[in-house]
Amino acid sequence: MTGDDRYASVRYIVDDVQAAIDFYTTHLGFTLNASAAPAFADVVRGRLRLLLSGAPSSGARATPADANSPGRNRIHLPVENLDAEISRLRDAGLTFRGEAISGPGGRQILLCDPAGNLIELFQPAR
Protein backbone atom coordinates (compact mmCIF):
# COMPACT_ATOMS: atom_id res chain seq x y z
CA MET A 1 0.00 0.00 0.00
CA THR A 2 1.19 3.51 -0.74
CA GLY A 3 0.12 6.91 0.40
CA ASP A 4 0.16 9.14 3.44
CA ASP A 5 -0.68 7.10 6.53
CA ARG A 6 -1.11 10.22 8.68
CA TYR A 7 -4.74 10.48 7.57
CA ALA A 8 -7.86 8.45 7.02
CA SER A 9 -9.37 9.94 3.85
CA VAL A 10 -13.01 10.15 2.80
CA ARG A 11 -14.16 11.53 -0.56
CA TYR A 12 -17.32 13.62 -0.83
CA ILE A 13 -18.65 14.62 -4.25
CA VAL A 14 -19.75 18.26 -3.99
CA ASP A 15 -21.52 20.73 -6.28
CA ASP A 16 -19.33 23.69 -5.35
CA VAL A 17 -15.82 23.08 -4.03
CA GLN A 18 -15.37 26.60 -2.63
CA ALA A 19 -18.73 26.45 -0.80
CA ALA A 20 -17.65 23.10 0.69
CA ILE A 21 -14.27 24.53 1.78
CA ASP A 22 -16.03 27.47 3.43
CA PHE A 23 -18.56 25.19 5.15
CA TYR A 24 -16.05 22.76 6.65
CA THR A 25 -13.43 25.35 7.64
CA THR A 26 -15.87 27.95 9.00
CA HIS A 27 -18.30 25.72 10.87
CA LEU A 28 -16.65 22.39 11.69
CA GLY A 29 -13.03 23.15 12.56
CA PHE A 30 -11.33 21.76 9.44
CA THR A 31 -8.26 23.45 7.96
CA LEU A 32 -7.59 23.77 4.26
CA ASN A 33 -4.77 21.44 3.18
CA ALA A 34 -4.84 22.09 -0.58
CA SER A 35 -7.16 23.64 -3.14
CA ALA A 36 -7.49 23.25 -6.90
CA ALA A 37 -11.01 24.72 -6.92
CA PRO A 38 -13.33 24.36 -8.73
CA ALA A 39 -12.17 20.77 -9.32
CA PHE A 40 -10.82 19.62 -5.97
CA ALA A 41 -9.74 20.52 -2.45
CA ASP A 42 -8.90 18.68 0.71
CA VAL A 43 -9.54 19.77 4.27
CA VAL A 44 -8.18 18.19 7.43
CA ARG A 45 -9.43 17.78 10.98
CA GLY A 46 -7.23 15.66 13.21
CA ARG A 47 -6.47 12.46 11.30
CA LEU A 48 -9.45 12.88 8.95
CA ARG A 49 -8.68 14.15 5.45
CA LEU A 50 -11.86 15.05 3.59
CA LEU A 51 -11.46 15.05 -0.20
CA LEU A 52 -13.89 17.50 -1.80
CA SER A 53 -14.37 16.59 -5.44
CA GLY A 54 -16.20 18.92 -7.82
CA ALA A 55 -17.57 17.98 -11.25
CA PRO A 56 -14.27 18.57 -13.12
CA SER A 57 -12.29 16.28 -10.77
CA SER A 58 -11.23 12.75 -11.68
CA GLY A 59 -12.90 11.51 -8.47
CA ALA A 60 -16.26 12.88 -9.55
CA ARG A 61 -15.85 11.77 -13.18
CA ALA A 62 -15.07 8.21 -12.02
CA THR A 63 -18.35 8.07 -10.07
CA PRO A 64 -21.14 6.23 -11.97
CA ALA A 65 -23.92 8.49 -13.24
CA ASP A 66 -26.57 6.58 -11.28
CA ALA A 67 -24.72 7.32 -8.01
CA ASN A 68 -25.73 10.98 -8.15
CA SER A 69 -27.17 11.57 -4.70
CA PRO A 70 -25.60 11.63 -1.27
CA GLY A 71 -25.61 8.25 0.43
CA ARG A 72 -26.56 7.19 3.89
CA ASN A 73 -22.88 7.09 4.83
CA ARG A 74 -21.46 10.02 6.70
CA ILE A 75 -18.47 11.29 8.58
CA HIS A 76 -18.78 11.14 12.35
CA LEU A 77 -17.57 14.12 14.40
CA PRO A 78 -17.55 13.86 18.21
CA VAL A 79 -18.57 17.01 20.09
CA GLU A 80 -18.44 17.91 23.77
CA ASN A 81 -21.84 19.63 23.98
CA LEU A 82 -24.35 18.65 21.30
CA ASP A 83 -26.98 21.20 22.31
CA ALA A 84 -24.47 24.06 22.13
CA GLU A 85 -23.25 22.87 18.70
CA ILE A 86 -26.82 22.62 17.40
CA SER A 87 -27.58 26.17 18.58
CA ARG A 88 -24.34 27.55 17.13
CA LEU A 89 -24.86 25.91 13.74
CA ARG A 90 -28.57 26.79 13.54
CA ASP A 91 -27.69 30.41 14.33
CA ALA A 92 -25.29 30.24 11.36
CA GLY A 93 -28.22 29.15 9.15
CA LEU A 94 -27.08 25.55 8.61
CA THR A 95 -29.48 22.71 7.79
CA PHE A 96 -30.08 19.62 9.90
CA ARG A 97 -31.85 16.41 8.91
CA GLY A 98 -34.25 15.79 11.77
CA GLU A 99 -33.78 16.40 15.44
CA ALA A 100 -31.25 15.08 17.94
CA ILE A 101 -31.81 11.49 19.01
CA SER A 102 -30.49 9.54 22.00
CA GLY A 103 -29.23 5.99 22.23
CA PRO A 104 -27.20 3.88 24.62
CA GLY A 105 -23.91 5.30 23.29
CA GLY A 106 -24.90 8.96 23.33
CA ARG A 107 -26.79 11.62 21.38
CA GLN A 108 -26.51 12.56 17.72
CA ILE A 109 -27.91 14.74 14.98
CA LEU A 110 -27.30 14.84 11.23
CA LEU A 111 -26.08 18.03 9.57
CA CYS A 112 -25.99 18.55 5.78
CA ASP A 113 -23.12 20.14 3.89
CA PRO A 114 -23.93 22.44 0.93
CA ALA A 115 -24.10 19.42 -1.46
CA GLY A 116 -26.39 17.41 0.87
CA ASN A 117 -23.69 15.07 2.24
CA LEU A 118 -24.31 14.05 5.83
CA ILE A 119 -22.21 14.83 8.90
CA GLU A 120 -23.07 13.14 12.18
CA LEU A 121 -22.42 15.27 15.25
CA PHE A 122 -22.13 12.91 18.20
CA GLN A 123 -21.92 13.49 21.95
CA PRO A 124 -20.89 10.28 23.77
CA ALA A 125 -22.87 9.19 26.82
CA ARG A 126 -21.24 10.15 30.08
Side-chain angles (χ1 to χ4, degrees), residues 5-23:
D5 63 359
R6 292 178 296 171
Y7 301 114
S9 296
V10 173
R11 182 181 310 278
Y12 269 173
I13 307 300
V14 298
D15 301 323
D16 181 329
V17 171
Q18 188 59 54
I21 292 169
D22 295 344
F23 174 85

Side-chain angles (χ1 to χ4, degrees), residues 40-95:
F40 172 83
D42 68 306
V43 294
V44 174
R45 178 177 161 168
R47 291 185 40 87
L48 174 61
R49 180 176 175 234
L50 189 55
L51 311 172
L52 305 169
S53 296
S57 73
S58 59
R61 290 191 325 264
T63 303
D66 63 349
N68 62 358
S69 63
R72 295 171 55 102
N73 298 316
R74 56 199 177 247
I75 59 172
H76 175 262
L77 300 178
V79 299
E80 299 240 353
N81 183 329
L82 185 63
D83 293 325
E85 285 299 302
I86 292 169
S87 292
R88 180 180 73 80
L89 296 169
R90 279 200 173 123
D91 288 348
L94 302 185
T95 303

